[in-house]
Amino acid sequence: MDVALDAAPAVALATDARPLPLRLTAIRYAARGVNVYELQAIDGMPLPTFTPGAHVDLHLRPGIVRQYSLIGPTGDAGHYAVAVKRDPAGRGGSVHLHDVVRVGDMIDVGRPRNHFVLHENARHSVLLAGGIGVTPMVAMARRLRELGSAFTLHYSVRRRDEAAFLDLLKGEELRLHVDVEREGRFMDVGSIVAEAPADAHLYCCGPAPMLDAFEAAAQGRPGGLVHLERFTAAAPSATAGGYRVRLERSGRVVPVRPGQTILEALRATGIDVQASCEQGICGTCETRVLRGRPDHRDSLLSDEERAANRAMMICCSGSLDDELVLDL
């Protein structure tokens, strides 16, 4: 999942079209515990295009919608491909894909969104991936090679058989770090960031400890050069309540009570708003703010976008004022 710390343009606010009904046409082994799932339109028509770093929502069954990065290539509009690692301790999406779905099944798939945008004009790019966090980097590396742009990809796994897409990623740009082959030592994220050119764009996707180390190491760099994507929320949702939300277009006023998020309050009054992850990491519920100060809790908006108070993720963010006016 996608979380840029810069002010890269986001997608449309809470107005995405309905999901696309796609057929699962192939399941391929990629690495230990990792499968690739390929999906195509039933009628063979081209799918909406996407850019490196984009992800889609997979509507797996009622109550289970999960986000997965598209691995590309970005120029192929004939199918989408995502890679999923089976996680028995997860929220059920990966287990459902690995254990239940079969080739030929129909899956509703959301249109691509991108909050982890690759800056193609960068003089140099440094990609850091941990485990299944390599998935958005696959499309990025492919695109950078197409452009002939300078980049390095630091890819960390615990064991060599967990490294996916080595056939696609191999080359002088790849730096593979295998923990068990380094006496259990983790990849030195701090040193990688410190040694990167001052004007390089840095990208990181992986487990929380890796992302935390990346953020700490990159603190002295301009925010517009630092980009990361999280799998889980970095902050708890705002549930203090005690304020009201005014919906400008419908004219309705909805109280948000203690223990509720804005999304929960809207649903409780029968207002249907698109949402997916409900953790502030996917961007599905991004909504335009007209007046008031949001209590931002998402992992998507940059510091500049938060300060502007023009948009918020209503699944997890709240209000600092007694009234918040939204473009709904």
Side-chain angles (χ1 to χ4, degrees):
M1 271 323 333
D2 220 309
V3 182
L5 293 185
D6 66 346
V11 292
L13 306 182
T15 57
D16 291 341
R18 286 180 295 180
L20 304 165
L22 303 185
R23 189 181 302 282
L24 182 62
T25 55
I27 302 175
R28 295 186 287 106
Y29 176 86
R32 184 169 177 262
V34 179
N35 287 342
V36 172
Y37 298 83
E38 295 185 1
L39 301 119
Q40 295 182 4
I42 308 171
D43 55 9
M45 293 295 291
L47 300 175
T49 58
F50 63 95
T51 53
H55 68 274
V56 292
D57 292 342
L58 266 57
H59 298 249
L60 301 177
R61 67 184 187 199
I64 296 186
V65 181
R66 298 293 182 263
Q67 297 74 43
Y68 299 104
S69 296
L70 293 165
I71 61 176
T74 55
D76 182 359
H79 77 282
Y80 289 156
V82 300
V84 182
K85 181 178 178 64
R86 190 182 189 279
D87 181 6
R91 296 183 296 143
S94 68
V95 171
H96 182 85
L97 279 167
H98 276 256
D99 297 357
V100 178
V101 303
R102 297 291 182 266
V103 170
D105 288 354
M106 297 298 300
I107 299 177
D108 284 342
V109 179
R111 295 167 190 267
R113 298 193 305 275
N114 199 345
H115 288 270
F116 196 36
V117 178
L118 176 67
H119 293 252
E120 297 185 352
N121 60 350
R123 188 180 68 84
H124 190 89
S125 300
V126 179
L127 316 179
L128 294 88
I132 197 61
V134 75
T135 50
M137 307 302 185
V138 174
M140 289 184 177
R142 281 173 149 170
R143 180 58 178 160
L144 290 169
R145 280 178 176 155
E146 288 176 4
L147 296 171
S149 300
F151 76 97
T152 53
L153 169 57
H154 300 267
Y155 181 15
S156 175
V157 292
R158 287 174 295 180
R159 299 168 32 156
R160 188 169 289 268
D161 63 356
E162 295 177 343
F165 308 114
L166 293 184
D167 56 332
L168 298 175
L169 300 174
K170 65 182 178 182
E172 62 181 14
E173 304 93 349
L174 178 62
R175 314 283 190 271
L176 180 64
H177 179 103
V178 183
D179 293 350
V180 299
E181 297 176 10
R182 305 284 185 93
E183 300 179 342
R185 293 193 302 272
F186 299 136
M187 186 168 70
D188 190 346
V189 173
S191 293
I192 293 170
V193 172
E195 294 168 5
D199 60 347
H201 278 261
L202 310 181
Y203 304 82
C204 187
C205 184
M210 180 180 184
L211 294 172
D212 293 342
F214 174 76
E215 282 192 292
Q219 278 187 347
R221 292 177 177 257
L225 301 180
V226 180
H227 323 274
L228 65 85
E229 181 176 57
R230 291 189 178 272
F231 299 144
T232 57
S237 296
T239 57
Y243 57 91
R244 60 188 177 273
V245 173
R246 182 178 298 275
L247 310 183
E248 184 76 4
R249 278 185 272 163
S250 68
R252 297 183 64 176
V253 177
V254 178
V256 181
R257 297 181 172 85
Q260 285 185 317
T261 62
I262 294 175
L263 179 63
E264 290 168 343
L266 296 180
R267 285 175 171 170
T269 58
I271 299 171
D272 185 23
V273 180
Q274 285 192 351
S276 182
C277 71
E278 301 192 19
Q279 299 183 81
I281 61 174
C282 77
T284 303
C285 69
E286 186 173 354
T287 303
R288 186 172 288 107
V289 177
L290 301 180
R291 290 187 299 280
R293 297 175 300 150
D295 178 6
H296 294 289
R297 301 294 183 93
D298 67 278
S299 299
L300 286 170
L301 298 176
S302 68
D303 290 341
E304 292 82 0
E305 288 169 326
R306 290 184 175 196
N309 284 333
R310 290 193 294 266
M312 67 183 298
M313 309 302 161
I314 61 172
C315 69
C316 63
S317 299
S319 177
L320 298 173
D321 296 327
D322 292 336
E323 182 173 274
L324 191 65
V325 184
L326 302 178
D327 186 20
L328 289 173

